[in-house]
Amino acid sequence: MNRYVPISTLRRLPVYLHYVRSIKGERKNVSAAVIAEFFGLNPVQVRKDLAAVSGTGKPKTGYDVEELICQIESCLDCNNETKSVLIGAGNLGSALLSYNGFSDYGINIVAAFDTDPETVGKSIGGKPVLPLSDLESICRFSKIRLGIITVPAGSAQEICDRLVSCGITAVWNFAPTILKAKDGVLIENENLASSLAILSRHLLFER
Amino acid sequence: MNRYVPISTLRRLPVYLHYVRSIKGERKNVSAAVIAEFFGLNPVQVRKDLAAVSGTGKPKTGYDVEELICQIESCLDCNNETKSVLIGAGNLGSALLSYNGFSDYGINIVAAFDTDPETVGKSIGGKPVLPLSDLESICRFSKIRLGIITVPAGSAQEICDRLVSCGITAVWNFAPTILKAKDGVLIENENLASSLAILSRHLLFER
């Protein structure tokens, strides 16, 4: 199914997916209105989101739960393995390497890269840490498709350029900076510092 | 300094802060135009963002680098310690407990809570893992201000309610669900699954 799905819908789909997986077994059908009520969302929005992956539900009964799970999984491509590498096995990088939750979304980190001689050669979360100088050869040989950047902000653009030069078209950037890449390369920023900024600012006014 | 700073500006401030920290020592002054060019951002936007924390820069020279660093840090409240707790010491929770980067933003995780008897009593990343039944007493006694939720989606709302009942007004939610709380409580969602959804979908069309 290759229909267009808006980014805002894509952001909400994993939330719906968790919910419909949780009610599987309990209910055969679920309506957009029920999902909307559970999350306190606008039912019109939920209906639009689900229409993008599953068409309109049946009148009165809504969607078949099992069918809806399959359709969302297929839309999010959870069932195909996406080979990825992580660059920067420092604190945050190590944390992500040790986190097993990415495999639920089909993401398999096959290796990490670092420049620190004390880290290179080790294994973190079961993934080998290789020297950064091997980045290009491994990415090309193993047909890596996603790069996860957890290096300091100052090195992130250089790493991004190197990844793109090996044919990587999706970058998940955890470095607190803004990366540039040619058209066709998707850069998804996960700026934890931005979230902390908003939380800290809120708390400042609570004092 | 208690002036109003828009959320979109707050999200970009940590990015600017990293950059101006990196040029400290090299340059005495920096202009909004230089920062905008470095990140490929619209100079009008950068000028507006900086005006919210620092007023307008001097004509020609722009901002004094050291002064600007202090002003952004003060706006983001980096220099005051915010005591926080983390609930759910599973994979992601453990990863966050082991990550040292939060202290740069004044966030100090003082304890983690879990229900798993095998995890409770351990120490992860130097933080004690306490039984969830102690959540309320510890939060009240230690005047905890921020709660970090890394429990499964199905338990997240209950944990959020318990935190709010102890007076916590800022919640950083990593569970892939949507949390509800009364007015005055800020919930910042860090939905890693949403990012993965967007990246996976992009790669699906590259096949």
Side-chain angles (χ1 to χ4, degrees):
Chain A
M1 193 196 41
N2 276 349
R3 63 178 99 180
Y4 170 72
V5 180
I7 292 262
S8 54
T9 296
L10 281 175
R11 288 202 188 275
R12 286 184 291 268
L13 286 178
V15 171
Y16 303 156
L17 179 58
H18 253 266
Y19 174 71
V20 286
R21 277 176 180 163
S22 76
I23 59 167
K24 188 183 152 183
E26 287 168 36
R27 313 177 53 136
K28 209 189 139 15
N29 296 294
V30 67
S31 67
V34 166
I35 297 177
E37 195 182 336
F38 183 81
F39 291 114
L41 291 173
N42 182 341
V44 176
Q45 186 181 62
V46 176
R47 204 163 288 124
K48 230 172 108 186
D49 289 341
L50 296 183
V53 290
S54 181
T56 49
K58 281 179 214 121
K60 304 255 166 118
T61 54
Y63 296 89
D64 181 281
V65 169
E66 288 193 30
E67 212 173 284
L68 186 59
I69 292 173
C70 287
Q71 285 163 331
I72 300 178
E73 283 180 345
S74 144
C75 174
L76 300 182
D77 201 25
C78 297
N79 300 320
N80 285 306
E81 191 194 76
T82 298
K83 282 192 199 166
S84 64
V85 292
L86 179 143
I87 303 94
N91 267 320
L92 180 60
S94 300
L96 293 176
L97 288 170
S98 306
Y99 176 51
N100 297 321
F102 299 148
S103 57
D104 290 351
Y105 295 89
I107 306 288
N108 177 19
I109 304 179
V110 297
F113 294 87
D114 207 289
T115 52
D116 178 5
E118 294 216 357
T119 312
V120 170
K122 282 191 182 155
S123 162
I124 301 175
K127 324 287 181 186
V129 183
L130 307 175
L132 188 59
S133 50
D134 290 354
L135 182 67
E136 281 81 357
S137 58
I138 300 279
C139 285
R140 289 208 178 95
F141 180 76
S142 299
K143 299 196 170 53
I144 302 298
R145 310 183 60 229
L146 168 67
I148 304 172
I149 296 183
T150 49
V151 299
S155 330
Q157 184 63 55
E158 186 206 324
I159 296 295
C160 179
D161 293 343
R162 288 176 65 176
L163 287 169
V164 171
S165 77
C166 311
I168 277 174
T169 55
V171 172
W172 198 9
N173 174 42
F174 285 80
T177 189
I178 296 166
L179 299 179
K180 287 163 263 187
K182 64 179 184 188
D183 283 356
V185 176
L186 179 70
I187 295 175
E188 176 73 8
N189 290 297
E190 202 70 57
N191 200 334
L192 301 181
S194 289
S195 299
L196 284 173
I198 290 164
L199 291 162
S200 293
R201 182 79 182 165
H202 174 77
L203 288 169
L204 181 61
F205 288 103
E206 298 278 322
R207 283 225 174 83
Chain B
M1 192 194 44
N2 275 349
R3 62 179 101 182
Y4 171 73
V5 180
I7 293 264
S8 54
T9 296
L10 281 175
R11 287 201 188 276
R12 285 184 292 268
L13 286 178
V15 170
Y16 304 156
L17 179 59
H18 253 266
Y19 175 71
V20 286
R21 278 177 179 161
S22 76
I23 60 167
K24 188 184 150 181
E26 286 169 37
R27 316 178 52 138
K28 210 190 140 15
N29 296 293
V30 68
S31 66
V34 165
I35 298 177
E37 194 181 338
F38 182 82
F39 291 115
L41 292 173
N42 182 342
V44 176
Q45 185 180 65
V46 176
R47 204 163 288 124
K48 230 171 108 186
D49 289 342
L50 296 183
V53 290
S54 181
T56 49
K58 284 181 211 119
K60 302 260 164 112
T61 54
Y63 297 88
D64 180 278
V65 169
E66 287 192 31
E67 214 173 283
L68 187 59
I69 292 173
C70 287
Q71 288 163 328
I72 300 178
E73 282 179 346
S74 144
C75 173
L76 299 183
D77 200 25
C78 297
N79 301 319
N80 285 306
E81 191 196 77
T82 298
K83 284 192 198 166
S84 64
V85 292
L86 180 144
I87 303 93
N91 267 320
L92 180 60
S94 300
L96 294 176
L97 288 170
S98 307
Y99 176 51
N100 297 321
F102 299 148
S103 57
D104 289 351
Y105 294 89
I107 306 287
N108 176 19
I109 304 179
V110 297
F113 294 88
D114 207 290
T115 51
D116 179 5
E118 296 216 356
T119 312
V120 171
K122 283 191 183 159
S123 162
I124 301 175
K127 325 285 183 189
V129 183
L130 307 175
L132 188 59
S133 51
D134 290 354
L135 181 68
E136 281 82 358
S137 58
I138 300 278
C139 284
R140 288 208 179 94
F141 179 76
S142 300
K143 300 197 169 50
I144 301 298
R145 310 183 61 229
L146 169 68
I148 304 172
I149 296 183
T150 48
V151 299
S155 329
Q157 184 62 55
E158 187 207 324
I159 295 296
C160 179
D161 294 344
R162 288 176 65 176
L163 288 169
V164 171
S165 77
C166 311
I168 276 175
T169 56
V171 172
W172 199 8
N173 174 42
F174 285 82
T177 187
I178 297 166
L179 299 180
K180 285 165 264 186
K182 63 179 184 187
D183 283 356
V185 176
L186 179 70
I187 295 174
E188 176 73 11
N189 290 297
E190 202 71 57
N191 200 333
L192 301 181
S194 289
S195 300
L196 285 173
I198 290 164
L199 291 162
S200 294
R201 181 78 183 167
H202 174 77
L203 288 169
L204 181 61
F205 288 101
E206 298 278 321
R207 285 226 173 83

